[in-house]
């Protein structure tokens, strides 16, 4: 592990050559003081008429002023004026001076410093644009709720690209195992990264940074960042800790495959700045996750509490989730949608927590007024689930699970495809489970009768595709047995 902590490049010092300026000053002194004094002495010694002697004295002084002093003073004034204009931003150009002395050198040095500053400003502007682009991309990811993993991947990718690195990775400290585990990584050549990569605290540059909590620049292998595809590649590594309350919770590192281009302090500052934001984002995410997990557990408990009030509906929510998943599978929906259907099934009637017991548990038919109150439960359920970010895709399913395919349902009277597909599936699952379960006001239907009811309602009350899919899965012996057994429980 090689460490490179070279100081930043400094401005080159322009040497002043005193002799040229001294010579000119001596010349000016000679013409303006020494020669006039000699002439005065000459005039006094030889009793020369002052009206004659005054001419060479004045001529000498004037020559001194015009030939030497005036030119020097003029150059100094020009340099000062233009330097002031440049420093105040009134002029972007260089100082124009043809003085061959130190003043000219000073002007040239000033011009050189100005050019270097302009280069630095250009570089800063370029960095600013990169950061702006990065923030804009991250902002889009946050707004579209792509999740913390996507956001971290984006940060690593764009940061590595901005630092002209070929590999970037973000690792988190596993305190128990005293090691770093890879959270996300990016490789310019698109090669897959070893997702299970781990490195002991203290090992290599990244392990050292995580243990010491200090940034480090040096040479090392791409494999240190988890890039096994380029494990043999050696280059430059820059790694900074993700620090939170004086404790490193992880590291962010970049690898450049050109060993001749070491990372500089500016790169380190940029990465450290991004790293500090990432550390806060991860901490916030963890805190939010804890709060959200607690909230989800609470509302899941609420859903069970609703069922506990009504012995006839015990187990109903879980079965609806199960059936809805099976319908989703038969329709070829993806894993995420199946999970959403299961959650929506468990939570679909959670709004009943807001309905009075005398209506909710009434053993006889509801009056029209009572029915109106009861029909509020999908809206109440929507309000309960809405604050949970991880359940955002469940919200509309809870709200619309009593819509009917022909538009005569509630609460919005949506029709056909305007009803979310998950809600159409939920409606079939919910109705079926209600039909095959005993109710205080009626006995349960047989599976065959319930199937018949669903078929009759297909295209009117229910989405025909969802009904077909459910009839198909009900034909499977396993599910049929499970549903009959489950449905029999509350009776
Ligand atoms: Fe319901």
């Amino acid at each position: 592990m090689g460490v490179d902590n070279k100081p930043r490049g400094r401005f080159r010092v322009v040497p002043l050559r005193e002799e040229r300026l001294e010579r000119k000053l001596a010349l000016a002194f000679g013409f303006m003081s020494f020669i006039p004094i000699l002439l005065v002495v000459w005039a006094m010694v030889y009793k020369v008429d002052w009206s004659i002697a005054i001419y060479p004295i004045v001529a000498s002084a004037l020559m001194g002023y015009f030939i030497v002093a005036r030119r020097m003073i003029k150059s100094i004034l020009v340099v000062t004026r233009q330097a002031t204009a440049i420093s105040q931003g009134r002029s972007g150009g260089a100082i124009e001076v043809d003085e061959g002395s130190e003043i000219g050198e000073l002007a040239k040095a000033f011009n050189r410093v100005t050019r270097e500053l302009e280069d630095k400003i250009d570089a800063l502007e370029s960095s600013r644009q990169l950061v702006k682009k990065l923030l804009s991309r991250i902002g889009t990811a946050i707004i579209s709720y792509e999740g913390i993993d996507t956001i971290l991947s984006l940060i690593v990718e764009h940061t590595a690209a901005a630092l002209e690195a070929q590999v970037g990775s973000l690792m988190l400290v596993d305190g128990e195992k005293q090691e770093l585990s890879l959270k996300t990584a990016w490789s310019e050549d698109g090669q897959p990264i070893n997702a299970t990569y781990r490195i002991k605290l203290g090992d290599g540059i990244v392990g050292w940074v995580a243990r010491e909590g200090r940034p480090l620049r040096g040479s090392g292998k791409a494999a240190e960042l988890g890039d096994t595809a380029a494990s043999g590649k050696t280059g430059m590594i820059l790694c900074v800790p993700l620090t939170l309350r004086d404790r490193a919770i992880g590291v962010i590192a970049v690898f450049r495959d050109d060993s001749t281009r070491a990372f500089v302090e500016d790169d380190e500052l940029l990465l450290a700045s991004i790293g500090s934001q990432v550390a806060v984002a991860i901490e916030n995410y963890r805190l939010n996750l804890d709060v959200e997990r607690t909230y989800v557990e609470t509302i899941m408990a609420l859903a069970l509490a609703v069922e506990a009030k009504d012995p006839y509906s015990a187990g109903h929510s879980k079965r609806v989730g199960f059936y809805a998943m099976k319908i989703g599978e038969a329709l070829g929906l993806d894993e995420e949608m199946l999970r959403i259907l299961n959650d929506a099934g468990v939570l679909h009637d959670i709004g009943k927590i807001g309905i009075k017991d005398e209506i909710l548990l009434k053993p006889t038919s509801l009056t029209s007024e009572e029915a109106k109150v009861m029909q509020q439960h999908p809206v109440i359920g929507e309000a309960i689930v809405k604050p949970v970010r991880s359940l955002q895709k469940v919200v509309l399913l809870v709200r619309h699970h009593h819509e009917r395919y022909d538009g005569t349902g509630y609460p919005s009277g949506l029709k056909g495809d305007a009803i979310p597909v998950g809600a159409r599936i939920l409606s079939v699952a919910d109705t079926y489970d209600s039909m095959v379960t005993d109710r205080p006001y009626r006995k349960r239907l047989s599976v065959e009768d319930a199937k018949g009811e669903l078929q009759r309602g297909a295209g009117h009350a229910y989405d025909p595709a969802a009904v077909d899919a459910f009839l198909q899965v009900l034909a499977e012996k396993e599910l049929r047995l499970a549903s009959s057994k489950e449905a029999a429980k509350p009776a």
Side-chain angles (χ1 to χ4, degrees):
M1 174 178 78
V3 179
D4 169 25
N5 274 326
K6 281 182 188 170
R8 294 174 64 185
R10 295 183 188 284
F11 295 128
R12 190 158 61 86
V13 176
V14 180
L16 284 176
R17 282 172 287 177
E18 292 177 10
E19 63 271 19
R20 275 192 289 170
L21 190 58
E22 204 171 29
R23 206 183 307 134
K24 286 187 177 177
L25 282 170
L27 206 60
F29 176 77
F31 276 115
M32 295 173 76
S33 305
F34 188 67
I35 294 176
I37 289 168
L38 279 181
L39 288 170
V40 168
V41 171
W42 166 73
M44 288 173 71
V45 171
Y46 293 99
K47 299 192 183 343
V48 177
D49 186 352
W50 282 103
S51 62
I52 295 169
I54 196 73
Y55 292 111
I57 292 170
V58 172
S60 172
L62 287 175
M63 276 175 72
Y65 176 72
F66 277 104
I67 294 172
V68 186
R70 185 177 171 275
R71 195 174 167 194
M72 282 170 55
I73 292 165
K74 192 181 167 193
S75 296
I76 291 170
L77 285 174
V78 168
V79 170
T80 309
R81 200 163 46 239
Q82 293 193 13
T84 306
I86 290 168
S87 69
Q88 290 176 347
R90 286 186 281 114
S91 167
I95 297 175
E96 292 169 15
V97 67
D98 56 2
E99 173 65 45
S101 69
E102 288 78 359
I103 297 165
E105 295 291 343
L106 184 65
K108 285 178 196 164
F110 186 88
N111 288 341
R112 210 167 291 130
V113 170
T114 307
R115 270 199 305 278
E116 287 195 37
L117 279 174
E118 281 173 354
D119 289 345
K120 289 274 175 192
I121 290 167
D122 285 346
L124 278 173
E125 179 59 24
S126 167
S127 294
R128 201 176 71 85
Q129 290 300 329
L130 276 169
V131 170
K132 203 174 159 189
K133 199 172 145 194
L134 177 62
L135 290 177
S136 153
R137 185 71 188 89
I138 293 168
T140 309
I142 291 169
I143 291 165
S144 60
Y145 186 48
E146 291 180 40
I148 186 82
D149 291 345
T150 311
I151 292 166
L152 292 179
S153 297
L154 281 169
I155 290 171
V156 169
E157 178 187 337
H158 287 273
T159 304
L163 292 169
E164 294 176 356
Q166 284 68 49
V167 181
S169 75
L170 192 149
M171 294 177 230
L172 296 179
V173 171
D174 183 337
E176 275 183 26
K177 295 181 180 168
Q178 286 293 294
E179 60 186 19
L180 281 165
S181 63
L182 192 70
K183 178 71 178 165
T184 184
W186 170 83
S187 167
E188 188 184 57
D189 55 16
Q191 290 294 320
I193 299 286
N194 180 6
T196 58
Y197 177 72
R198 286 174 172 266
I199 187 167
K200 285 279 170 202
L201 293 187
D203 284 359
I205 290 181
V206 295
W208 185 90
V209 170
R211 193 186 64 193
E212 300 296 322
R214 286 187 286 154
L216 194 64
R217 284 175 271 151
S219 57
K221 290 186 173 179
E224 268 205 49
L225 277 66
D227 188 358
T228 46
S231 55
K233 238 182 229 177
T234 304
M236 308 312 296
I237 292 177
L238 166 61
C239 184
V240 301
L242 305 176
T243 309
L244 212 64
R245 292 184 287 277
D246 297 330
R247 188 173 59 86
I249 60 164
V251 299
I252 183 165
V254 288
F255 170 86
R256 190 182 277 166
D257 62 8
D258 184 353
S259 297
T260 61
R261 290 183 58 226
F263 289 104
V264 295
E265 195 176 341
D266 281 351
D267 299 330
E268 186 181 310
L269 288 173
L270 177 64
L271 194 61
S273 167
I274 292 169
S276 62
Q277 298 297 317
V278 168
V280 173
I282 290 174
E283 177 71 355
N284 284 342
Y285 171 74
R286 285 173 175 171
L287 291 173
N288 286 337
L289 207 61
D290 282 348
V291 172
E292 186 161 309
R293 199 174 290 135
T294 308
Y295 192 85
V296 170
E297 284 165 5
T298 307
I299 62 171
M300 288 290 182
L302 269 178
L304 293 175
V306 172
E307 285 191 347
K309 286 205 290 185
D310 180 4
Y312 290 95
S313 66
H316 168 71
S317 298
K318 280 190 178 176
R319 286 194 302 274
V320 171
F322 175 71
Y323 296 148
M325 267 206 309
K326 286 288 172 188
I327 298 171
E329 265 177 22
L331 289 171
L333 301 181
D334 61 26
E335 283 293 321
E336 192 200 358
M337 192 59 195
L338 298 183
R339 184 187 58 75
I340 292 166
L341 284 170
N342 185 50
D343 289 346
V346 174
L347 297 170
H348 74 286
D349 272 344
I350 193 166
K352 286 184 178 173
I353 196 87
I355 307 295
K356 287 178 190 167
D357 282 358
E358 53 260 40
I359 296 175
L360 190 66
L361 305 176
K362 190 176 178 186
T364 53
S365 299
L366 300 178
T367 64
S368 61
E369 281 304 309
E370 289 167 339
K372 271 185 192 168
V373 174
M374 189 65 169
Q375 286 178 5
Q376 286 301 305
H377 80 270
V379 180
I380 299 168
E382 178 193 18
I384 293 172
V385 177
K386 212 169 189 174
V388 189
R389 286 217 305 176
S390 61
L391 294 176
Q392 284 310 293
K393 292 179 179 171
V394 170
V395 175
L396 286 182
L397 276 60
V398 171
R399 179 182 169 88
H400 295 299
H401 75 274
H402 280 295
E403 303 289 355
R404 283 168 60 99
Y405 201 66
D406 57 8
T408 59
Y410 62 89
S412 305
L414 297 182
K415 191 174 178 181
D417 290 348
I419 306 166
V421 65
R424 281 180 261 150
I425 292 173
L426 219 52
S427 167
V428 172
D430 186 23
T431 308
Y432 173 79
D433 191 70
S434 300
M435 287 193 292
V436 297
T437 308
D438 280 329
R439 286 288 186 258
Y441 43 88
R442 62 151 174 77
K443 279 282 174 191
R444 66 173 182 257
L445 298 182
S446 68
V447 171
E448 288 307 316
D449 288 345
K451 280 165 65 178
E453 285 295 319
L454 287 178
Q455 277 171 320
R456 271 187 289 282
H460 307 291
Y462 321 113
D463 178 355
V467 172
D468 283 349
F470 193 43
L471 294 177
Q472 186 187 321
V473 291
L474 275 177
E476 293 169 21
K477 193 178 169 189
E478 210 175 303
L479 179 66
R480 197 169 172 163
L481 283 173
S483 62
S484 304
K485 198 174 160 189
E486 284 294 311
K489 275 183 185 173

